[in-house]
Amino acid sequence: MNGPQFAMTAFVVTWLTASLRLAGPVLLAALGETFAEQSGVLNIGIEGTILLGALTSFLVSFYTGMIWPSLLAALLVGIAANMILAWMYVTVRASQVVAGLVFNVLALGVASAVYRKALGNSAVPESIAMFQPLHIPFLGNLPVIGPVLFGQTILFYLTIALAFVAHFVLFRTNFGLALRASGENPAAADSAGISVYRMRYAGTLISGAAAGMAGGYLVLAQVGLFRESIVSGQGFIALGIVIFGRWNPLKATVAAMVFGACDALQLSLQIFGTHVPPQLLLALPYIVTILAISGLFGGKAVQPAALMAPYIKD
Amino acid sequence: MKHTLEMRNIVKRFPGVLANNNVNLTIQAGEIHALLGENGAGKSTLMQILYGFHSMDSGEILIDGETVRLGSPKDAIALGIGMVHQEFMLVRRFSVVENTVLGLREGNGPLLDLRRASEKLKDLSNRHGLALDPAAEVGLLPIGVQQRVEILKLLYRDARLLILDEPTAVLTPREKDQLFGVLRKLREDGRSVVLVTHKLAEIMEIADRVTVMRDGQVVATREIGSTNGQELTRLMVGREVNLRADKSAQKPGAAILQVEELRVRDETGHEKVRGLNLEVHAGEILGIAGVDGNGQSELAEAVMHLREIKSGRVILKGADVTRLSVALHRTLGISYVPADRRHVGSVTEMSVADNAILGLQRKYRRGIFRGIREARESARGLVARFGIRTGGIDFAAGKLSGGNLQKLILGREIMRGSAALVVEHPTRGLDVGAVEAVWGELLRARQEGKAILLISAELEELLNLADRIAVMFEGRIMGVVDAAGASVEEIGLMMAGITAPGAAAAGLGNKEAHRGETL
Ligand SMILES: Nc1ncnc2c1ncn2[C@@H]1O[C@H](COP(=O)(O)OP(=O)(O)OP(=O)(O)O)[C@@H](O)[C@H]1O
Ligand SMILES: [Mg+2]
C-alpha cells in the first residue's frame, strides 16, 4: 500500500468509526423522542434530560466505580425528571415548547450546582470507569468494516437493538397503535376507550428514560467526564433526527448515522487539517438539524396530526 | 345488555349553556329509539354522556335498575355501549382494520394481530352486506364508507346498545336503506339502537319510539304508532313547519359561472371530474344531483381553485379565473360553503364573531385596525337572522352544535354579497326549522340575481330549490333536467349511470348505459 492510499484508508476508517460512535447517544435520545411525538407530545426537554443523565451517571460512576449501575441511575433520573415534564405537558397543558425550554434552562442550573456541590474540593480524576470498545474476534479484524462495525462499545449495539424493539413496539403492538392514535386523533383514541393522558405520559416518560440513558452513554462511553457543555445541543439534534426519520425508529437510525457522519467529518477534517474554517465545520451538524426542523424537506405531511395539541375533554 | 337502560335527571352545563336540563330517557332492549330535536337541543351532549365522553353535572344512569358509572368511553364499551359520533372518530392515517381494533385487547396479548382482525372484519362486513377493504387508509375513503367503518367498529365490539348520532346525514338513499337493514337485524338480535336524526320520514320508517328534545329538555316520548310527522314537528319547533319552498318564476340572466371541459384528480390520482361543462346564470339555482363520491366535491373545490385543475376552464363573469388564487376568487365575487364545516368552513378555535367575518376582514378595517364594533354588530345580525343558537358571539365556534355551525358558515357566505355562490350540502344535519330558513335564504339570494351552484344529495331539496338539475355520475354530467317537470325516477336512473330517454344528455350517456345499477 502506498502512502496516500494508506492515509486515505486511515481517514475513512477513523471517520466512519467516529460516525457510528457519535451517532449512538443522539439515536438513543431520538428513539425515545419518537414515542413522545407519536403520542402527541413534542418533548424539547430531552436536551436537559440528557444533561441530568450525564451528571447522574458521572457521579454514580465516580463514587462506585461501577458502570452498569451508573447507566441505570441515569435512566431512572431521566424518568423522574420527565415525570415533571409530562405533568406540565399533559395535565397542566402548558405550551410544550415553553415548558420544554424552561426545563432545559433549569436542568442546566441544577446540573452545575449539583456538580460543584458534590465535587467541591475533591480531585477530579482523568476519567471515570467507562465502557470500552469491544474486540470481536475474527469480525473485528476485517479490513475497514472490522473496526467500524465491530469495534464499538456494547452501548452502541444495545442502541441498535433498541431501535428494532422500538419499531416493533410502535407498529406491531396494541400499545403502539394506541400511542400513535393519541398523537393522530386524540378524540378518536379516547372514543375507542384509550386513555390519551396515560398514553402521553407513557410517551413522555419513555423519551425521558431514553434521554437519561443517552446522557449516561455520553459520559460512560465517550467522554469519561462531566462538563456543563457536554450535551451542547445533542437533544436538539435528536429532535431533527426524529423528523428526518419520519417518526419511524428504523429510519431514525439511518438519519442518526448521517448526522454522526457530519459530526465526525468535522472532527476528522480538523484532525487531518483542511483549509475550511473550523467554526463552519463545527456548525455543520446544527445546520443540518435546523434544515430538518424547518420542514423544508416535507415532514409536515407525515408528522403526527395532533403533535403539540393538548387534549381537552369537555 | 339485554335489558333496559335508563337515564335519570341528567343535567349538563357548559360555560354559558345549559345543554341538558333534567333529562329522562329510557331505552328498552330490542327497540330502535329515535331522538329528535332542533339544532343545539342537546341530543349529542346527552348521547355523549351515555357514552362516557362527557361527564354529567348531576343525574344517574341505570342498567336494569342498577346505577352504573360511566367515567370514560372505556366504561361504556365494557358495558356494551357503542357510539357513532356526529363527527366521525376515525384516525385518518390508519387503515380500516387498525381503526377497528384500536383500544381493544384481544387475542395475542400485547401483540397486534391485524391479519386475524381483518378476517373477522371481512366476515362481519359480508354478514351485514357492508362492503369494505380492511387494508384501505381511512382518510382516503368517501364519507359514506367511513361511516361503514364506524358501524363495523361497533359490531366488532359486539355492542348491545348502538348510539348513532345523525348517521344518515351523509348517506345516499341506498346507503340509508342498507343501514336500516342492518339496524333491523340488530333489533331482531335484541340489541337496542338510539338513532339521532332530523329526518321525520326516517323516524316514521324505522323507529319504535321517539323522544323529542327542545332547549335541553325532553318534551315528549311517543310510540311511533300514535304520532305523526306534524305532531313531532310541532313538539320540536313549537310551530308548524311547511317544508315547501315557494319559488317565484323568474327569467335567468346572463351566464355568471361557466365551467368548460374541466378535469380534476383526487388525492390518489384518480380522475374524479372528467371533462365537465356547465353554466349557471344570474338568478338561477343549478342543482347538482348525484351519489356522493361521483366528483361533486372535487368539482366545487376546483371551481374555487382549492384543488388543482388538470385541464379545462372556470369562467366567472366572463373572465377566466381558472388559475387564480382562492382569495382572488372570493374578491371577484364567488362564495363557497364547503361540505366539511369543521375543518374547511370554520376556524373552530375562534369565536363566533371572528368566524362570522372570516375572509371579510378588509371590509371591517379602520386603517390598520379592525373595526371591532361594526364587525361585532354584523356578527350579531347574522346570529339573529339565521337563528344561530350560541352562548354569545364570543363563544368558540367549535363548541356550537353541528347544525348551528352550518348556519353560521352559510350565513357568512350569503351575506358576503357575491355574484356567485357554490353551496355543498347546505342543510345536511339541520333541523326542519333551520332547513326552512336556509331554503328561504337561498331563494332570496336567487331573487337578488345571484348565480347559485347547489350540490346536494337530497333530491327533495333540489326539486324544491333548483331551476335546473344536472345529474353527476363518475365525474360527468349524465343529463340536465328542468326541475319543474323532473321525475324522481328519471333523476334516480341517471344517478346510477343510466341515461333515461328524454334527458338532455345527448350523446353523453349511452356508453354508460349498461354500467350502473337501478336504484
Ligand atoms: N364542548 C362544548 N362546550 C361548550 N358548549 C357546548 C359544547 N358542546 C356542545 N355545547 C353546547 O351545548 C348545546 C347542545 O349541543 P348539542 O351538540 O348537544 O346539540 P344537538 O342537539 O346535538 O344539535 P345538532 O342537531 O345541531 O347536532 C349547544 O348550545 C352547544 O353549543
Ligand atoms: Mg348533534
Side-chain angles (χ1 to χ4, degrees), chain B residues 108-119:
Chain B
N108 270 336
L111 299 189
L112 267 180
D113 189 349
L114 291 184
R115 186 159 333 140
R116 222 195 47 185
S118 298
E119 289 305 316

Side-chain angles (χ1 to χ4, degrees), chain A residues 11-145:
Chain A
F11 172 79
V12 168
V13 169
T14 331
W15 175 44
L16 290 181
T17 312
S19 300
L20 295 197
R21 195 164 59 83
L22 294 175
V26 274
L27 173 57
L28 189 54
L31 291 176
E33 180 69 19
T34 302
F35 278 80
E37 295 194 14
Q38 286 277 16
S39 80
V41 174
L42 181 75
N43 187 4
I44 291 181
I46 57 170
E47 172 85 5
T49 309
I50 299 177
L51 187 70
L52 294 179
L55 176 70
T56 308
S57 60
F58 172 76
L59 290 178
V60 175
S61 174
F62 179 72
Y63 287 116
T64 67
M66 297 187 291
I67 47 179
W68 283 105
S70 310
L71 188 70
L72 182 68
L75 182 149
L76 293 177
V77 165
I79 294 179
N82 278 260
M83 205 63 203
I84 306 171
L85 278 171
W87 180 72
M88 289 297 287
Y89 296 147
V90 183
T91 309
V92 179
R93 297 192 288 260
S95 150
Q96 295 178 5
V97 173
V98 174
L101 287 176
V102 169
F103 174 85
N104 289 341
V105 175
L106 199 70
L108 185 59
V110 169
S112 357
V114 170
Y115 181 71
R116 283 199 203 106
K117 194 111 192 131
L119 292 179
N121 302 319
S122 24
V124 180
E126 288 265 294
S127 165
I128 48 154
M130 284 173 74
F131 287 98
Q132 298 302 323
L134 299 186
H135 291 290
I136 300 174
F138 182 66
L139 288 176
N141 299 331
L142 294 172
V144 187
I145 56 166

Side-chain angles (χ1 to χ4, degrees), chain A residues 168 170-178 180-181 184-185 187-195 198-199 300-305 311 313-314, chain B residues 12 14 51-55 71-74 77 83 85 88-91 93-94 98 101-106 109-112 153 157 399:
Chain A
F168 184 84
L170 267 181
F171 298 107
R172 295 269 180 278
T173 67
N174 287 319
F175 168 74
L177 191 69
R180 288 185 290 130
E184 285 288 341
N185 185 347
D190 189 358
S191 173
I194 292 163
S195 165
R198 205 173 296 164
M199 284 302 142
K300 271 274 177 281
V302 285
Q303 83 175 28
Y311 183 55
K313 274 194 90 165
D314 270 7
Chain B
K12 174 70 183 180
F14 288 117
Y51 188 56
F53 215 69
H54 281 318
S55 57
S72 73
K74 198 173 180 161
I77 293 168
M83 177 161 182
H85 299 260
F88 296 161
M89 294 287 182
L90 294 168
V91 182
R93 223 176 283 163
F94 283 8
E98 282 174 328
V101 300
L102 189 60
L104 292 180
R105 299 211 160 273
E106 44 155 27
L111 299 189
L112 267 180
K153 225 163 98 179
R157 272 145 230 254
K399 292 179 177 168

